Amino acid sequence: MSMIIQVAAAFVGSIGFAIFFKMKGRQILLAGLGGAATWVIYLLWQQQIEGYFIPYFIAAIFVAIYAEIMARVNRAPATIFLTAAAVPLFPGGSLYYTMAGLVNGDEMLFSKSGTDTLTIALAISLGFVVVALITKYITGISSQRK
């Protein structure tokens, strides 16, 4: 039941950001589905692999590929799909505890949460970069053939 609630929250959160970014019509639903699917991918890998890096990295690769596909299908920038559908991955909780540890002088909380936050941020950014580089390479090759 907890997984269903988490996926539903990821769906709604992504839809909220899609509306905020002024996405239109069917794109809003697709952004929500991307966010929900991204969170499912993360949860499945989190159950298999201990730690934060690999599950977040794989989920980031998934959402970046999803955004590239949706951009081509909808003739829209990939960035709008990437931003809205990646919302569930953003490390809000660990960032909150990092700041709470800093403000309250709790060095242990600050250190642990800060490390988690940086690990998650690095995994997400590397996932995005890997897909962006591969996409750039593939589009470069296909444009040379024309």
Side-chain angles (χ1 to χ4, degrees):
M1 188 65 158
S2 173
M3 186 173 174
I4 294 171
I5 293 170
Q6 289 183 43
V7 172
F11 177 77
V12 171
S14 293
I15 283 181
F17 272 85
I19 292 169
F20 178 76
F21 292 131
K22 298 183 182 354
M23 293 173 77
K24 301 289 182 212
R26 164 179 113 131
Q27 292 178 348
I28 294 171
L29 177 63
L30 292 172
L33 291 173
T38 298
W39 196 246
V40 167
I41 297 293
Y42 166 74
L43 289 174
L44 292 174
W45 280 97
Q46 180 198 31
Q47 292 172 359
Q48 302 301 318
I49 297 173
E50 200 167 314
Y52 291 112
F53 188 83
I54 299 296
Y56 274 97
F57 180 68
I58 292 170
I61 287 174
F62 169 80
V63 74
I65 292 170
Y66 179 83
E68 291 292 338
I69 292 169
M70 289 300 105
R72 279 148 185 79
V73 168
N74 291 281
R75 297 178 190 224
T79 310
I80 63 172
F81 290 102
L82 181 63
T83 307
V87 163
L89 295 180
F90 299 153
S94 63
L95 183 57
Y96 170 83
Y97 289 113
T98 301
M99 296 309 297
L102 179 66
V103 170
N104 296 325
D106 186 343
E107 292 177 19
M108 209 51 180
L109 179 63
F110 174 73
S111 176
K112 171 71 172 105
S113 297
T115 302
D116 292 347
T117 302
L118 289 174
T119 301
I120 293 167
L122 180 63
I124 293 169
S125 61
L126 283 176
F128 291 174
V129 167
V130 164
V131 173
L133 289 174
I134 292 170
T135 302
K136 196 79 120 169
Y137 179 74
I138 290 171
T139 56
I141 287 175
S142 65
S143 68
Q144 286 178 353
R145 289 184 180 170
K146 291 181 180 179

